[in-house]
Amino acid sequence: MYMRPILILAFLVVTGGFFGSAIADDGIPRFFVPPPPFSEGIFPCSQCHEGMPANHERRELSFHSEIDESFNHAKEQRWCLDCHNANDRDKLRSVSGQLITFEESYFLCGQCHGTIFRDWKAGVHGKRTGEWNGKRTYRLCVHCHNPHSPRFKPLKPLPPPLKPNEIQHRKLNDDEIPLNPIGDIR
Amino acid sequence: MEMNNKRKNCRPRKISRRGFIQGTALGLASLAIPVGSADASVWEAFFQKHFREMNDDEKKAVIKRMEKEYSERYGRDLTIKTTNAEPGVLFGYGLDLSRCIGCRRCVYACVRENNQSRDPQIHWISVLEFEKGEKWINDLEGSDKYYNPDEVPEDGFFYMPVQCQQCENPPCVRACPTQATWKEPDGIVVIDYNWCIGCRYCMAACPYGARRFNWGHPRIARSELNTETHYLGNRPRSVGVVEKCTFCIQRTRGENGRYPACVEICPVGARKFGNLLDPDSEIRYIIENKRVFRLKEDLNTFPKFYYFFAT
């Protein structure tokens, strides 16, 4: 179960303002994260999987085929239901059989990537936004890594700076204004 | 060039701007203030006290005058904060070179947040590309900042963004003849654009090439102006003054201090920020647990900008 805001507030008070995370009733800290980056309409999974028998067999899928095709995450050793819970598809499942919500998928990743998870909790791997001295939000591992093919995808860089000889120092047009009033006296 | 007369008159001596003006005779003032435009507020601006010598009331008066002037010019309401450094805070920055992919998202987020001139172009952050295995740490010359492939990272290269290193022992501050730039108690090196005379000695003194000069009139589209500003940070600048990174002083200072814009935009999470005096901060975790280094350590500038390798 993940916490509703009111509970989070209560924990914050109890823990004396442990920013960015809160200790849940099981004694494990939980982190403030944005919603999981699901494709539109896919969640809850139970809208289809409710009553559908789970199929543990490794096979070509007729549905979710893009996941099956791009799947590249220790794929020799692993298949869908090593991470997804067979009976209640709205949850993930740890190696030891514990159910994990999608809001806390970092617990799933953390089982196998312990060092990175430790860095993530300290704010070093991954990213935090918000207040450096107050309330902040973490990114889930899956905001940056597709869980099915986790290598970080390359990006198109933004334009390089202009070279000195490309920068023009044209005169101010009539309708343009210098940024600083002091500019007038220079 | 407009700034030439000022540059000529610049002396590498430690004197206040007022003394400086008197020393060079009133001729300078009459030269610099065009006849006709010398209304009261221009004169007030010209004879404004040094920011650190102003009391709260004086600051308020200056801010009020400036906000009014800026707002009239832009047709947009602009706030100028003067938030002071918090006691017990010394800002530190971390940049993970094992993650940075050179995508330049930080460069443009900084431009937007800090009202850098779009034309002529000013960037406070330069991202340098190095060939792997090159001897590079102290020789930034061997790098390329104009790389432009379809995708980054490029095989065989790594990336190092450089901006103001917020030195504890800043050579730029010592070089300034008018004390227009100084180090604040929270470690941020700031510039008072009203005191900067554009001599650019600070730029020559900076070993990191982190300062930028407004050679031309800075230009920003009215709609793109960030109206949340700090006096010592992203408030609009003018031609002939120097500027640089201030750790986003307008965001990071105060009770609900936010992360700098470059930290928040970074898609790989390579940029870290926090209080060096707080043993639980992420920056302290990095210094204590990762391989860290600072640029040109042998110069004893003691940057508060830590490059590190998470892996």
Side-chain angles (χ1 to χ4, degrees):
Chain A
M1 195 204 84
Y2 60 95
M3 291 180 295
R4 263 160 282 161
I6 190 77
L7 273 177
I8 290 173
L9 261 182
F11 286 127
L12 265 183
V13 171
V14 170
T15 59
F18 182 30
F19 297 125
S21 59
I23 311 288
D25 35 10
D26 55 8
I28 299 169
R30 304 289 148 88
F31 300 90
F32 302 145
V33 294
F38 284 123
S39 317
E40 227 181 290
I42 195 91
F43 196 83
C45 319
S46 50
Q47 63 189 288
C48 297
H49 283 275
E50 182 97 81
M52 200 168 110
N55 185 344
H56 289 259
E57 200 183 322
R58 189 186 282 258
R59 65 194 192 281
E60 224 169 82
L61 295 178
S62 61
F63 198 80
H64 310 309
S65 56
E66 69 296 342
I67 292 177
D68 155 28
E69 280 156 20
S70 64
F71 186 69
N72 185 22
H73 191 178
K75 69 172 166 203
E76 307 307 323
Q77 303 94 303
R78 213 133 19 108
W79 186 239
C80 318
L81 297 179
D82 293 329
C83 292
H84 292 283
N85 183 41
N87 302 325
D88 172 4
R89 205 53 64 91
D90 292 341
K91 299 266 166 58
L92 296 160
R93 188 176 181 282
S94 75
V95 177
S96 50
Q98 270 167 330
L99 297 192
I100 299 169
T101 66
F102 283 95
E103 284 75 9
E104 293 170 1
S105 56
Y106 46 83
F107 285 132
L108 175 72
C109 319
Q111 296 180 101
C112 301
H113 302 291
T115 325
I116 295 254
F117 185 42
R118 184 156 17 94
D119 277 358
W120 181 85
K121 284 189 282 191
V124 174
H125 191 87
K127 175 157 98 169
R128 296 165 159 184
T129 53
E131 295 166 8
W132 65 266
N133 60 355
K135 180 151 198 302
R136 50 203 170 211
T137 310
Y138 288 57
R139 294 297 174 282
L140 290 168
C141 317
V142 295
H143 283 118
C144 296
H145 301 288
N146 181 329
H148 310 120
S149 71
R151 163 152 288 176
F152 195 85
K153 304 292 174 292
L155 292 176
K156 181 165 177 46
L158 293 182
L162 295 174
K163 298 191 168 137
N165 61 352
E166 295 165 338
I167 297 183
Q168 288 175 8
H169 302 290
R170 54 183 174 93
K171 277 223 147 87
L172 222 53
N173 296 332
D174 284 349
D175 60 339
E176 283 175 322
I177 39 173
L179 269 179
N180 192 327
I182 297 298
D184 276 2
I185 65 169
R186 286 176 179 275
Chain B
M1 271 277 89
E2 280 149 292
M3 62 289 303
N4 272 356
N5 53 35
K6 263 176 270 98
R7 192 159 16 127
K8 265 201 305 263
N9 284 305
C10 199
R11 302 273 188 287
R13 269 185 289 141
K14 280 240 162 181
I15 46 172
S16 72
R17 182 165 99 158
R18 187 146 324 137
F20 178 81
I21 290 165
Q22 282 157 2
T24 52
L26 265 170
L28 176 68
S30 52
L31 228 183
I33 302 183
V35 192
S37 80
D39 57 39
S41 85
V42 170
W43 284 102
E44 270 170 40
F46 199 69
F47 287 104
Q48 184 179 311
K49 257 192 187 176
H50 193 283
F51 188 73
R52 278 188 295 180
E53 288 166 6
M54 283 184 223
N55 63 33
D56 285 350
D57 284 343
E58 288 167 327
K59 279 185 191 169
K60 264 198 206 116
V62 166
I63 295 307
K64 220 177 125 199
R65 185 193 82 223
M66 283 188 176
E67 285 180 345
K68 185 163 164 284
E69 281 171 359
Y70 286 143
S71 301
E72 276 167 10
R73 270 155 198 278
Y74 278 97
R76 295 191 57 189
D77 284 337
L78 190 137
T79 356
I80 306 173
K81 292 188 281 191
T82 56
T83 324
N84 288 324
E86 297 264 315
V89 173
L90 188 66
F91 286 123
Y93 202 105
L95 204 153
D96 186 350
L97 292 180
S98 63
R99 301 278 175 243
C100 177
I101 57 171
C103 71
R104 295 202 188 92
R105 302 291 187 276
C106 52
V107 174
Y108 291 90
C110 173
V111 165
R112 275 194 307 279
E113 169 69 29
N114 289 295
N115 290 324
Q116 270 116 291
S117 175
R118 313 301 204 268
D119 170 27
Q121 182 184 70
I122 290 192
H123 288 171
W124 289 355
I125 303 175
S126 300
V127 186
L128 309 180
E129 187 188 61
F130 292 88
E131 227 164 308
K132 278 190 179 151
E134 216 174 86
K135 271 191 152 238
W136 53 276
I137 291 185
N138 274 330
D139 181 17
L140 304 181
E141 304 301 316
S143 67
D144 174 16
K145 63 174 175 177
Y146 302 112
Y147 64 90
N148 196 20
D150 286 341
E151 283 187 338
V152 283
E154 284 187 277
D155 272 349
F157 291 91
F158 70 95
Y159 302 86
M160 181 163 76
V162 179
Q163 60 210 70
C164 175
Q165 307 281 302
Q166 311 294 355
C167 305
E168 263 308 276
N169 182 17
C172 52
V173 165
R174 266 176 283 125
C176 179
T178 61
Q179 290 156 31
T181 185
W182 66 90
K183 190 180 62 163
E184 288 272 289
D186 55 7
I188 305 180
V189 175
V190 295
I191 301 169
D192 184 341
Y193 312 114
N194 283 42
W195 276 66
C196 176
I197 56 168
C199 70
R200 310 198 316 286
Y201 286 166
C202 57
M203 294 175 70
C206 174
Y208 308 105
R211 288 175 169 250
R212 302 284 182 267
F213 186 61
N214 284 279
W215 288 101
H217 285 288
R219 258 176 274 248
I220 299 178
R222 199 174 293 251
S223 57
E224 285 181 29
L225 188 73
N226 178 4
T227 55
E228 287 297 311
T229 75
H230 192 285
Y231 182 91
L232 298 172
N234 61 339
R235 72 178 163 104
R237 277 83 67 189
S238 68
V239 65
V241 303
V242 171
E243 55 181 81
K244 65 166 192 68
C245 158
T246 65
F247 279 170
C248 279
I249 196 166
Q250 68 280 2
R251 294 165 65 103
T252 49
R253 270 202 183 162
E255 227 169 274
N256 300 310
R258 292 156 68 208
Y259 285 107
C262 50
V263 170
E264 295 214 332
I265 198 81
C266 180
V268 297
R271 291 172 166 271
K272 308 296 166 189
F273 181 80
N275 183 2
L276 289 166
L277 304 181
D278 172 5
D280 297 326
S281 65
E282 52 221 66
I283 187 69
R284 280 285 288 275
Y285 179 93
I286 288 163
I287 293 169
E288 280 152 32
N289 295 288
K290 301 291 173 189
R291 280 187 294 143
V292 299
F293 74 91
R294 291 176 288 177
L295 269 187
K296 308 196 185 192
E297 251 160 6
D298 48 317
L299 298 179
N300 290 325
T301 49
F302 301 105
K304 291 187 292 296
F305 200 100
Y306 295 83
Y307 292 95
F308 70 101
F309 297 93
T311 51

